Structure formats: structure tokens, C-alpha cells
Amino acid sequence: MKITVKAPANIAFIKYWGKRNEKLRLPANSSISMNLSGAYTTTSVEFDSKLKSDILILNNKEVVGREMERVSKHLDLIRSIAKSKNYAQVKSTNNFPKGAGIASSASGFAALTVAAAKAVNLNLSEKKLSILARLGSGSACRSIPNGFVEWKMGNSSESSYARSLFGSEYWNIYDLIAVVGENSKKISSTEGHAVAESSPFYKTRLSGMKDKVAEIKSALKRKDFTKFGEITEAEAINMHTVMMTSVPPLYYLLPGTLDVISHVLELREKGIECYFTIDAGPNVHVICKEENKRKIQKVLSDIKSVKTVLINRAACGARVI
Ligand code: PMV
């Protein structure tokens, strides 16, 4: 049976950076995110007893090597649960342009997990699917539930999974992604997590996490946009401080990134409220309310270093289509 699943990418307001357990992808802290309506992966999986190995077709091109091995390893995990030996054909496309620097591992592994589990006839709960997706790529576990999501760090594989705090219709806030460059990713996020501990600021970062998660959840509950945005922005800078002070140092920001940040600050000075956050790449996610969306989109599009602006609101999690 061929199963097709659509899964969103997600943007973390409280980030996951650093692991307590590398193999199980157990994070060093809990994180909070929103699924993105405009950036998603569509994946179909079909197991076939005639296949001699797994096949991965990504954006219409057959993929081999490391990317393929990671997918095969994930399929092995699902096969072992289902006690199946069949290989699979996996076809996956991202709706966001390749090279736009939008990470595809979260949406990719969320879609792969749900499609493969269903295709092999496993009927798994959302919690189990989130745990499985986490084993493929940490942040993928947050693309399984709906809307605004919390990934509780847990203390074991079984207790580290994501759940929805609020559905996608809960709060009409937007994430305008100002794309300024490709994600050079000389160092992948997997390798990046591994060196987080080497930053002298890492311990300080982690010591403030519990309170920060509680505070942003409270702001989310109250729909206090100002508090929510302030925490989000400070958190992004906190994570990039750890990145830039680790050994080796990781510089994900480009000149265009700082250009966009300065425009966000200017907009705020003019009374147009918006806040930025940045993942392991140069693009800037500008968070705003609906009433300011158009104005901000125009300002971002007019910045020389911005190639394109992708518009997102909250979306539901991975779904069979
Ligand atoms: O899931 P990974 O290994 O790609 O790590 C994601 C890391 C960040 O995007 C930088 C932060 C996050 O929580 O999404």
C-alpha cells in the first residue's frame, strides 16, 4: 500500500541545541515551536517485497550516499517494530525551493515516519509517532502534532516527545521568512549539537531554560505578543551566542541576516511590532501579528540582501493525504 503524507517544517521559539543522549536524540532542554503553513514536505512510501534495497527519490532525483543511509536507517527502525523485511520506495518533495536555506529534516523525517508507519500497517499513537520522528531528526518530533507545540525533553526515549499546546487556529500570528542565503551548513545541525557543550555559555543557557519555557508558555496562553516576541528574540541570540563560542565556532549568520535584524529593530521603533528568530542558518524568521503582516512583508522584500519572503502561519501537523 502506498501512503502519502504532508508534514510541515516548524520554527522553534525556544530552541533545541545540544543533546543529553546523542544516539537517542534526547535534547538537553524542552523546546516550543509552531508548525509552518508555507513550508512542507510531501512524502510517499511504498514497501515492496520485490525491491532489493530502499530507494529514495528526493525532489525528482534519486539520492544515494549519506542522505539515503539516514533514511534507510530510519526505515530499519520502523521495519523492526513492524517485523517486516520489505524494502521501500520513498518519494519526497519539498515545496520550498532547494537552496532557500529552509531546513528540510524536520518536515522530511516527520513525513517519512508517518508515511512509513502507515504503509507497513502500524497503527501508532501521535506520541509514538513523535518519538519515532525524534529518532530520525530531533526537531521532526515537533512536526507531528498540530499548531503550537511543546517538545518535553523527558528523561528517556519514551518520555521525550512533542504534543500540541494549542491548535493551528489558536493565534493568528505570522512567520515571514526573509531568505537571505543558502544554508551553507558546513557543519550540520547533528554535528553542531555535539559541540554545543564546548561553549563556556552553554551551562548558563541550560540553567535558564526551565523558567524560559514556563514564561513563553504563559505568554502564549495569554496571547501576550510583546512578551512572547521578547522571549523569542532573546532566545535566538542566546542560542547563536553558544554556537559562535563553541569549539569549533559555528557562524550561521551572514551580513544579510544582520541587515534584516536592523530593519526589525527599526520597524519596532516606528511602532510596528515584530520580533526575529533564527535557526541554524542565515535566514530570519520575522514574527508578527496579522495587522502588520503586509507592511512588514513590504519592508523585508525591499531589503537588498533579501531574495524572497516566505509567508507562514500556524499549521496542523503531519497528515496522511
Ligand atoms: O533537529 P535538528 O537536529 O535539525 O536541530 C534543529 C536545531 C535548530 O533548528 C537550530 C533549533 C530547533 O529547535 O529547531
Side-chain angles (χ1 to χ4, degrees):
M1 194 179 17
K2 180 166 144 186
I3 299 288
T4 305
V5 168
K6 178 178 164 184
N10 67 71
I11 181 66
F13 304 114
I14 304 296
K15 314 280 190 188
Y16 144 59
W17 196 246
K19 295 177 207 169
R20 271 181 316 142
N21 181 318
E22 182 107 28
K23 201 163 156 255
L24 292 175
R25 294 184 196 273
L26 294 180
N29 60 272
S30 299
S31 51
I32 305 283
S33 64
M34 177 179 101
N35 289 331
L36 299 179
S37 62
Y40 52 85
T41 300
T42 307
T43 298
S44 67
V45 175
E46 189 169 22
F47 288 92
D48 184 343
S49 57
K50 290 190 220 80
L51 289 176
K52 300 260 180 306
S53 66
D54 293 319
I55 299 170
L56 171 63
I57 297 165
L58 193 55
N59 297 321
N60 297 318
K61 262 202 203 131
E62 182 160 358
V63 174
V64 289
R66 257 171 81 175
E67 226 171 339
M68 171 67 216
E69 280 161 30
R70 196 165 164 196
V71 165
S72 245
K73 212 173 137 214
H74 199 56
L75 290 170
D76 284 343
L77 185 65
I78 292 164
R79 275 187 283 258
S80 71
I81 300 169
K83 298 190 176 37
S84 161
K85 288 200 163 21
N86 291 342
Y87 291 110
Q89 162 140 304
V90 178
K91 280 190 187 163
S92 195
T93 51
N94 297 320
N95 83 319
F96 39 94
K98 203 174 156 56
I102 312 294
S104 58
S105 67
S107 52
F109 275 93
L112 177 68
T113 302
V114 177
K118 258 263 175 307
V120 77
N121 267 323
L122 286 173
N123 206 354
L124 301 178
S125 64
E126 183 181 281
K127 170 180 164 181
K128 281 256 166 5
L129 288 168
S130 179
I131 290 169
L132 271 178
R134 187 202 79 227
L135 290 163
S137 174
S139 57
C141 75
R142 295 190 309 237
S143 289
I144 301 284
N146 284 332
F148 296 84
V149 171
E150 176 175 25
W151 172 11
K152 283 224 187 262
M153 62 190 280
N155 52 20
S156 62
S157 189
E158 280 304 296
S159 58
S160 185
Y161 61 94
R163 66 186 179 98
S164 178
L165 293 171
F166 298 101
S168 54
E169 301 302 315
Y170 171 71
W171 201 13
N172 211 7
I173 60 171
Y174 282 80
D175 172 9
L176 310 184
I177 310 177
V179 175
V180 297
E182 289 193 23
N183 206 342
S184 57
K185 287 247 170 167
K186 282 184 200 103
I187 298 213
S188 69
S189 58
T190 300
E191 292 164 296
H193 286 291
V195 299
E197 253 179 18
S198 63
S199 160
F201 302 114
Y202 187 59
K203 274 206 178 87
T204 312
R205 167 171 171 74
L206 291 186
S207 68
M209 268 302 172
K210 236 179 151 175
D211 289 345
K212 211 192 289 194
V213 168
E215 271 175 48
I216 204 163
K217 278 170 75 176
S218 156
L220 189 56
K221 198 168 173 190
R222 290 180 282 116
K223 295 189 181 170
D224 180 343
F225 186 69
T226 303
K227 189 78 192 159
F228 184 82
E230 284 171 0
I231 297 171
T232 295
E233 212 171 87
E235 159 62 359
I237 293 304
N238 182 312
M239 178 181 75
H240 279 272
T241 302
V242 166
M243 289 166 158
M244 289 189 280
T245 52
S246 65
V247 184
L250 307 177
Y251 301 110
Y252 290 108
L253 314 182
L254 291 176
T257 314
L258 298 182
D259 220 1
V260 177
I261 289 178
S262 65
H263 279 83
V264 169
L265 302 185
E266 252 172 51
L267 278 161
R268 252 191 349 247
E269 266 167 31
K270 288 184 189 142
I272 302 168
E273 200 175 15
C274 56
Y275 300 89
F276 66 82
T277 183
I278 309 157
D279 274 344
N283 302 323
V284 186
H285 295 246
V286 180
I287 313 299
C288 66
K289 291 205 226 167
E290 169 142 54
E291 67 228 41
N292 291 324
K293 186 184 80 176
R294 272 175 200 281
K295 263 186 237 152
I296 296 170
Q297 186 188 346
K298 168 94 179 66
V299 169
L300 295 176
S301 306
D302 287 349
I303 301 172
K304 239 185 162 173
S305 39
V306 172
K307 295 178 180 160
T308 178
V309 179
L310 305 174
I311 299 171
N312 297 275
R313 43 161 300 156
C316 63
R319 284 277 175 286
V320 176
I321 54 171

PDB file of all heavy atoms in Angstrom, residues 218-247:
ATOM      1  N   SER A 218       3.329  30.711  29.239  1.00  0.00           N
ATOM      2  CA  SER A 218       2.375  31.611  29.877  1.00  0.00           C
ATOM      3  C   SER A 218       2.004  32.753  28.919  1.00  0.00           C
ATOM      4  O   SER A 218       0.837  33.126  28.781  1.00  0.00           O
ATOM      5  CB  SER A 218       2.981  32.127  31.195  1.00  0.00           C
ATOM      6  OG  SER A 218       2.410  33.327  31.561  1.00  0.00           O
ATOM      7  N   ALA A 219       3.012  33.298  28.207  1.00  0.00           N
ATOM      8  CA  ALA A 219       2.742  34.370  27.233  1.00  0.00           C
ATOM      9  C   ALA A 219       1.833  33.856  26.106  1.00  0.00           C
ATOM     10  O   ALA A 219       0.940  34.569  25.642  1.00  0.00           O
ATOM     11  CB  ALA A 219       4.052  34.903  26.657  1.00  0.00           C
ATOM     12  N   LEU A 220       2.076  32.639  25.696  1.00  0.00           N
ATOM     13  CA  LEU A 220       1.267  32.011  24.640  1.00  0.00           C
ATOM     14  C   LEU A 220      -0.172  31.850  25.124  1.00  0.00           C
ATOM     15  O   LEU A 220      -1.123  32.156  24.398  1.00  0.00           O
ATOM     16  CB  LEU A 220       1.889  30.650  24.314  1.00  0.00           C
ATOM     17  CG  LEU A 220       1.396  29.851  23.114  1.00  0.00           C
ATOM     18  CD1 LEU A 220       1.502  30.648  21.821  1.00  0.00           C
ATOM     19  CD2 LEU A 220       2.210  28.551  22.972  1.00  0.00           C
ATOM     20  N   LYS A 221      -0.312  31.426  26.339  1.00  0.00           N
ATOM     21  CA  LYS A 221      -1.649  31.223  26.900  1.00  0.00           C
ATOM     22  C   LYS A 221      -2.410  32.544  26.997  1.00  0.00           C
ATOM     23  O   LYS A 221      -3.612  32.611  26.734  1.00  0.00           O
ATOM     24  CB  LYS A 221      -1.505  30.592  28.291  1.00  0.00           C
ATOM     25  CG  LYS A 221      -2.748  29.954  28.776  1.00  0.00           C
ATOM     26  CD  LYS A 221      -2.481  29.108  29.998  1.00  0.00           C
ATOM     27  CE  LYS A 221      -3.814  28.625  30.545  1.00  0.00           C
ATOM     28  NZ  LYS A 221      -3.665  28.007  31.845  1.00  0.00           N
ATOM     29  N   ARG A 222      -1.679  33.596  27.367  1.00  0.00           N
ATOM     30  CA  ARG A 222      -2.312  34.923  27.499  1.00  0.00           C
ATOM     31  C   ARG A 222      -2.373  35.666  26.163  1.00  0.00           C
ATOM     32  O   ARG A 222      -2.859  36.793  26.112  1.00  0.00           O
ATOM     33  CB  ARG A 222      -1.526  35.761  28.514  1.00  0.00           C
ATOM     34  CG  ARG A 222      -1.654  35.280  29.956  1.00  0.00           C
ATOM     35  CD  ARG A 222      -0.837  36.156  30.913  1.00  0.00           C
ATOM     36  NE  ARG A 222       0.591  35.814  30.858  1.00  0.00           N
ATOM     37  CZ  ARG A 222       1.559  36.617  30.441  1.00  0.00           C
ATOM     38  NH1 ARG A 222       1.286  37.855  30.051  1.00  0.00           N
ATOM     39  NH2 ARG A 222       2.807  36.215  30.425  1.00  0.00           N
ATOM     40  N   LYS A 223      -1.805  35.091  25.145  1.00  0.00           N
ATOM     41  CA  LYS A 223      -1.635  35.758  23.849  1.00  0.00           C
ATOM     42  C   LYS A 223      -0.982  37.125  24.042  1.00  0.00           C
ATOM     43  O   LYS A 223      -1.407  38.122  23.448  1.00  0.00           O
ATOM     44  CB  LYS A 223      -2.971  35.884  23.105  1.00  0.00           C
ATOM     45  CG  LYS A 223      -3.551  34.536  22.709  1.00  0.00           C
ATOM     46  CD  LYS A 223      -4.740  34.677  21.787  1.00  0.00           C
ATOM     47  CE  LYS A 223      -5.311  33.311  21.446  1.00  0.00           C
ATOM     48  NZ  LYS A 223      -6.582  33.360  20.746  1.00  0.00           N
ATOM     49  N   ASP A 224       0.037  37.140  24.880  1.00  0.00           N
ATOM     50  CA  ASP A 224       0.792  38.369  25.148  1.00  0.00           C
ATOM     51  C   ASP A 224       1.915  38.439  24.111  1.00  0.00           C
ATOM     52  O   ASP A 224       3.008  37.885  24.303  1.00  0.00           O
ATOM     53  CB  ASP A 224       1.340  38.302  26.582  1.00  0.00           C
ATOM     54  CG  ASP A 224       2.134  39.540  26.961  1.00  0.00           C
ATOM     55  OD1 ASP A 224       2.550  40.305  26.067  1.00  0.00           O
ATOM     56  OD2 ASP A 224       2.358  39.726  28.172  1.00  0.00           O
ATOM     57  N   PHE A 225       1.624  39.116  22.997  1.00  0.00           N
ATOM     58  CA  PHE A 225       2.546  39.097  21.859  1.00  0.00           C
ATOM     59  C   PHE A 225       3.899  39.734  22.197  1.00  0.00           C
ATOM     60  O   PHE A 225       4.946  39.262  21.767  1.00  0.00           O
ATOM     61  CB  PHE A 225       1.912  39.795  20.648  1.00  0.00           C
ATOM     62  CG  PHE A 225       2.757  39.682  19.409  1.00  0.00           C
ATOM     63  CD1 PHE A 225       2.926  38.461  18.777  1.00  0.00           C
ATOM     64  CD2 PHE A 225       3.400  40.794  18.873  1.00  0.00           C
ATOM     65  CE1 PHE A 225       3.720  38.329  17.648  1.00  0.00           C
ATOM     66  CE2 PHE A 225       4.203  40.683  17.744  1.00  0.00           C
ATOM     67  CZ  PHE A 225       4.353  39.443  17.126  1.00  0.00           C
ATOM     68  N   THR A 226       3.853  40.818  22.979  1.00  0.00           N
ATOM     69  CA  THR A 226       5.095  41.521  23.316  1.00  0.00           C
ATOM     70  C   THR A 226       6.027  40.612  24.119  1.00  0.00           C
ATOM     71  O   THR A 226       7.208  40.453  23.786  1.00  0.00           O
ATOM     72  CB  THR A 226       4.777  42.814  24.107  1.00  0.00           C
ATOM     73  OG1 THR A 226       3.900  43.600  23.286  1.00  0.00           O
ATOM     74  CG2 THR A 226       6.017  43.607  24.437  1.00  0.00           C
ATOM     75  N   LYS A 227       5.492  40.010  25.146  1.00  0.00           N
ATOM     76  CA  LYS A 227       6.306  39.115  25.987  1.00  0.00           C
ATOM     77  C   LYS A 227       6.799  37.931  25.152  1.00  0.00           C
ATOM     78  O   LYS A 227       7.974  37.540  25.220  1.00  0.00           O
ATOM     79  CB  LYS A 227       5.437  38.626  27.161  1.00  0.00           C
ATOM     80  CG  LYS A 227       6.189  37.877  28.214  1.00  0.00           C
ATOM     81  CD  LYS A 227       6.956  38.825  29.112  1.00  0.00           C
ATOM     82  CE  LYS A 227       7.921  38.064  29.979  1.00  0.00           C
ATOM     83  NZ  LYS A 227       8.995  38.926  30.491  1.00  0.00           N
ATOM     84  N   PHE A 228       5.883  37.382  24.381  1.00  0.00           N
ATOM     85  CA  PHE A 228       6.197  36.232  23.535  1.00  0.00           C
ATOM     86  C   PHE A 228       7.361  36.570  22.589  1.00  0.00           C
ATOM     87  O   PHE A 228       8.324  35.807  22.463  1.00  0.00           O
ATOM     88  CB  PHE A 228       4.944  35.866  22.732  1.00  0.00           C
ATOM     89  CG  PHE A 228       5.085  34.634  21.894  1.00  0.00           C
ATOM     90  CD1 PHE A 228       4.922  33.381  22.449  1.00  0.00           C
ATOM     91  CD2 PHE A 228       5.370  34.733  20.538  1.00  0.00           C
ATOM     92  CE1 PHE A 228       5.052  32.233  21.668  1.00  0.00           C
ATOM     93  CE2 PHE A 228       5.512  33.592  19.755  1.00  0.00           C
ATOM     94  CZ  PHE A 228       5.341  32.345  20.320  1.00  0.00           C
ATOM     95  N   GLY A 229       7.269  37.729  21.954  1.00  0.00           N
ATOM     96  CA  GLY A 229       8.295  38.147  20.998  1.00  0.00           C
ATOM     97  C   GLY A 229       9.622  38.440  21.680  1.00  0.00           C
ATOM     98  O   GLY A 229      10.680  38.075  21.163  1.00  0.00           O
ATOM     99  N   GLU A 230       9.554  39.084  22.833  1.00  0.00           N
ATOM    100  CA  GLU A 230      10.807  39.419  23.532  1.00  0.00           C
ATOM    101  C   GLU A 230      11.563  38.153  23.938  1.00  0.00           C
ATOM    102  O   GLU A 230      12.784  38.079  23.801  1.00  0.00           O
ATOM    103  CB  GLU A 230      10.494  40.284  24.765  1.00  0.00           C
ATOM    104  CG  GLU A 230      10.171  41.724  24.385  1.00  0.00           C
ATOM    105  CD  GLU A 230       9.648  42.572  25.537  1.00  0.00           C
ATOM    106  OE1 GLU A 230       9.511  42.056  26.680  1.00  0.00           O
ATOM    107  OE2 GLU A 230       9.356  43.759  25.293  1.00  0.00           O
ATOM    108  N   ILE A 231      10.824  37.181  24.440  1.00  0.00           N
ATOM    109  CA  ILE A 231      11.478  35.924  24.838  1.00  0.00           C
ATOM    110  C   ILE A 231      12.058  35.228  23.596  1.00  0.00           C
ATOM    111  O   ILE A 231      13.199  34.764  23.601  1.00  0.00           O
ATOM    112  CB  ILE A 231      10.475  34.972  25.551  1.00  0.00           C
ATOM    113  CG1 ILE A 231       9.964  35.608  26.843  1.00  0.00           C
ATOM    114  CG2 ILE A 231      11.133  33.624  25.845  1.00  0.00           C
ATOM    115  CD1 ILE A 231       8.815  34.853  27.503  1.00  0.00           C
ATOM    116  N   THR A 232      11.273  35.192  22.530  1.00  0.00           N
ATOM    117  CA  THR A 232      11.699  34.528  21.287  1.00  0.00           C
ATOM    118  C   THR A 232      13.008  35.122  20.756  1.00  0.00           C
ATOM    119  O   THR A 232      13.946  34.406  20.404  1.00  0.00           O
ATOM    120  CB  THR A 232      10.587  34.669  20.216  1.00  0.00           C
ATOM    121  OG1 THR A 232       9.444  33.958  20.677  1.00  0.00           O
ATOM    122  CG2 THR A 232      11.007  34.117  18.871  1.00  0.00           C
ATOM    123  N   GLU A 233      13.054  36.448  20.732  1.00  0.00           N
ATOM    124  CA  GLU A 233      14.229  37.123  20.161  1.00  0.00           C
ATOM    125  C   GLU A 233      15.478  36.881  21.026  1.00  0.00           C
ATOM    126  O   GLU A 233      16.534  36.523  20.513  1.00  0.00           O
ATOM    127  CB  GLU A 233      13.930  38.625  20.060  1.00  0.00           C
ATOM    128  CG  GLU A 233      14.607  39.266  18.896  1.00  0.00           C
ATOM    129  CD  GLU A 233      14.134  40.699  18.675  1.00  0.00           C
ATOM    130  OE1 GLU A 233      14.715  41.607  19.290  1.00  0.00           O
ATOM    131  OE2 GLU A 233      13.191  40.897  17.901  1.00  0.00           O
ATOM    132  N   ALA A 234      15.309  37.050  22.331  1.00  0.00           N
ATOM    133  CA  ALA A 234      16.446  36.855  23.242  1.00  0.00           C
ATOM    134  C   ALA A 234      16.936  35.405  23.167  1.00  0.00           C
ATOM    135  O   ALA A 234      18.140  35.132  23.235  1.00  0.00           O
ATOM    136  CB  ALA A 234      16.038  37.206  24.673  1.00  0.00           C
ATOM    137  N   GLU A 235      16.024  34.490  22.996  1.00  0.00           N
ATOM    138  CA  GLU A 235      16.376  33.070  22.921  1.00  0.00           C
ATOM    139  C   GLU A 235      17.223  32.769  21.674  1.00  0.00           C
ATOM    140  O   GLU A 235      18.194  32.013  21.732  1.00  0.00           O
ATOM    141  CB  GLU A 235      15.089  32.227  22.948  1.00  0.00           C
ATOM    142  CG  GLU A 235      15.195  30.828  22.407  1.00  0.00           C
ATOM    143  CD  GLU A 235      16.153  29.914  23.154  1.00  0.00           C
ATOM    144  OE1 GLU A 235      16.782  30.376  24.135  1.00  0.00           O
ATOM    145  OE2 GLU A 235      16.304  28.764  22.739  1.00  0.00           O
ATOM    146  N   ALA A 236      16.847  33.371  20.550  1.00  0.00           N
ATOM    147  CA  ALA A 236      17.607  33.124  19.318  1.00  0.00           C
ATOM    148  C   ALA A 236      19.048  33.612  19.483  1.00  0.00           C
ATOM    149  O   ALA A 236      20.002  32.925  19.094  1.00  0.00           O
ATOM    150  CB  ALA A 236      16.942  33.826  18.133  1.00  0.00           C
ATOM    151  N   ILE A 237      19.193  34.798  20.076  1.00  0.00           N
ATOM    152  CA  ILE A 237      20.541  35.347  20.270  1.00  0.00           C
ATOM    153  C   ILE A 237      21.322  34.490  21.277  1.00  0.00           C
ATOM    154  O   ILE A 237      22.510  34.246  21.119  1.00  0.00           O
ATOM    155  CB  ILE A 237      20.455  36.826  20.738  1.00  0.00           C
ATOM    156  CG1 ILE A 237      19.870  37.681  19.595  1.00  0.00           C
ATOM    157  CG2 ILE A 237      21.811  37.364  21.184  1.00  0.00           C
ATOM    158  CD1 ILE A 237      20.630  37.603  18.275  1.00  0.00           C
ATOM    159  N   ASN A 238      20.624  34.026  22.282  1.00  0.00           N
ATOM    160  CA  ASN A 238      21.245  33.139  23.271  1.00  0.00           C
ATOM    161  C   ASN A 238      21.809  31.891  22.564  1.00  0.00           C
ATOM    162  O   ASN A 238      22.976  31.521  22.771  1.00  0.00           O
ATOM    163  CB  ASN A 238      20.155  32.769  24.299  1.00  0.00           C
ATOM    164  CG  ASN A 238      20.658  31.887  25.409  1.00  0.00           C
ATOM    165  OD1 ASN A 238      21.330  30.899  25.150  1.00  0.00           O
ATOM    166  ND2 ASN A 238      20.312  32.221  26.648  1.00  0.00           N
ATOM    167  N   MET A 239      21.019  31.269  21.710  1.00  0.00           N
ATOM    168  CA  MET A 239      21.493  30.056  21.023  1.00  0.00           C
ATOM    169  C   MET A 239      22.663  30.373  20.094  1.00  0.00           C
ATOM    170  O   MET A 239      23.649  29.631  20.063  1.00  0.00           O
ATOM    171  CB  MET A 239      20.369  29.408  20.219  1.00  0.00           C
ATOM    172  CG  MET A 239      20.839  28.176  19.466  1.00  0.00           C
ATOM    173  SD  MET A 239      19.566  27.366  18.466  1.00  0.00           S
ATOM    174  CE  MET A 239      19.422  28.486  17.078  1.00  0.00           C
ATOM    175  N   HIS A 240      22.573  31.500  19.369  1.00  0.00           N
ATOM    176  CA  HIS A 240      23.670  31.818  18.447  1.00  0.00           C
ATOM    177  C   HIS A 240      24.946  32.211  19.197  1.00  0.00           C
ATOM    178  O   HIS A 240      26.047  32.027  18.677  1.00  0.00           O
ATOM    179  CB  HIS A 240      23.235  32.881  17.427  1.00  0.00           C
ATOM    180  CG  HIS A 240      22.451  32.262  16.305  1.00  0.00           C
ATOM    181  ND1 HIS A 240      23.034  31.749  15.171  1.00  0.00           N
ATOM    182  CD2 HIS A 240      21.128  31.988  16.195  1.00  0.00           C
ATOM    183  CE1 HIS A 240      22.107  31.209  14.392  1.00  0.00           C
ATOM    184  NE2 HIS A 240      20.943  31.346  14.987  1.00  0.00           N
ATOM    185  N   THR A 241      24.785  32.722  20.400  1.00  0.00           N
ATOM    186  CA  THR A 241      25.969  33.002  21.233  1.00  0.00           C
ATOM    187  C   THR A 241      26.684  31.698  21.552  1.00  0.00           C
ATOM    188  O   THR A 241      27.915  31.595  21.443  1.00  0.00           O
ATOM    189  CB  THR A 241      25.539  33.724  22.533  1.00  0.00           C
ATOM    190  OG1 THR A 241      24.872  34.919  22.163  1.00  0.00           O
ATOM    191  CG2 THR A 241      26.730  34.037  23.417  1.00  0.00           C
ATOM    192  N   VAL A 242      25.917  30.692  21.928  1.00  0.00           N
ATOM    193  CA  VAL A 242      26.507  29.376  22.203  1.00  0.00           C
ATOM    194  C   VAL A 242      27.165  28.826  20.927  1.00  0.00           C
ATOM    195  O   VAL A 242      28.304  28.346  20.955  1.00  0.00           O
ATOM    196  CB  VAL A 242      25.435  28.391  22.749  1.00  0.00           C
ATOM    197  CG1 VAL A 242      25.927  26.955  22.717  1.00  0.00           C
ATOM    198  CG2 VAL A 242      25.019  28.799  24.154  1.00  0.00           C
ATOM    199  N   MET A 243      26.465  28.952  19.808  1.00  0.00           N
ATOM    200  CA  MET A 243      27.015  28.446  18.543  1.00  0.00           C
ATOM    201  C   MET A 243      28.358  29.110  18.211  1.00  0.00           C
ATOM    202  O   MET A 243      29.323  28.453  17.844  1.00  0.00           O
ATOM    203  CB  MET A 243      26.027  28.708  17.400  1.00  0.00           C
ATOM    204  CG  MET A 243      24.789  27.831  17.452  1.00  0.00           C
ATOM    205  SD  MET A 243      23.516  28.488  16.335  1.00  0.00           S
ATOM    206  CE  MET A 243      22.513  27.039  16.065  1.00  0.00           C
ATOM    207  N   MET A 244      28.387  30.444  18.354  1.00  0.00           N
ATOM    208  CA  MET A 244      29.594  31.182  17.927  1.00  0.00           C
ATOM    209  C   MET A 244      30.752  31.043  18.911  1.00  0.00           C
ATOM    210  O   MET A 244      31.881  31.392  18.580  1.00  0.00           O
ATOM    211  CB  MET A 244      29.247  32.669  17.720  1.00  0.00           C
ATOM    212  CG  MET A 244      28.379  32.885  16.493  1.00  0.00           C
ATOM    213  SD  MET A 244      28.149  34.608  16.069  1.00  0.00           S
ATOM    214  CE  MET A 244      26.886  35.089  17.230  1.00  0.00           C
ATOM    215  N   THR A 245      30.446  30.538  20.106  1.00  0.00           N
ATOM    216  CA  THR A 245      31.507  30.404  21.110  1.00  0.00           C
ATOM    217  C   THR A 245      31.832  28.943  21.380  1.00  0.00           C
ATOM    218  O   THR A 245      32.508  28.619  22.344  1.00  0.00           O
ATOM    219  CB  THR A 245      31.107  31.099  22.430  1.00  0.00           C
ATOM    220  OG1 THR A 245      29.804  30.613  22.821  1.00  0.00           O
ATOM    221  CG2 THR A 245      31.073  32.607  22.294  1.00  0.00           C
ATOM    222  N   SER A 246      31.332  28.043  20.524  1.00  0.00           N
ATOM    223  CA  SER A 246      31.688  26.634  20.711  1.00  0.00           C
ATOM    224  C   SER A 246      32.996  26.349  19.973  1.00  0.00           C
ATOM    225  O   SER A 246      33.520  27.190  19.250  1.00  0.00           O
ATOM    226  CB  SER A 246      30.544  25.738  20.221  1.00  0.00           C
ATOM    227  OG  SER A 246      30.376  25.901  18.839  1.00  0.00           O
ATOM    228  N   VAL A 247      33.523  25.164  20.169  1.00  0.00           N
ATOM    229  CA  VAL A 247      34.772  24.764  19.501  1.00  0.00           C
ATOM    230  C   VAL A 247      34.479  23.549  18.622  1.00  0.00           C
ATOM    231  O   VAL A 247      34.156  22.495  19.157  1.00  0.00           O
ATOM    232  CB  VAL A 247      35.854  24.408  20.544  1.00  0.00           C
ATOM    233  CG1 VAL A 247      37.178  24.088  19.850  1.00  0.00           C
ATOM    234  CG2 VAL A 247      36.001  25.502  21.596  1.00  0.00           C
TER     235      VAL A 247
END
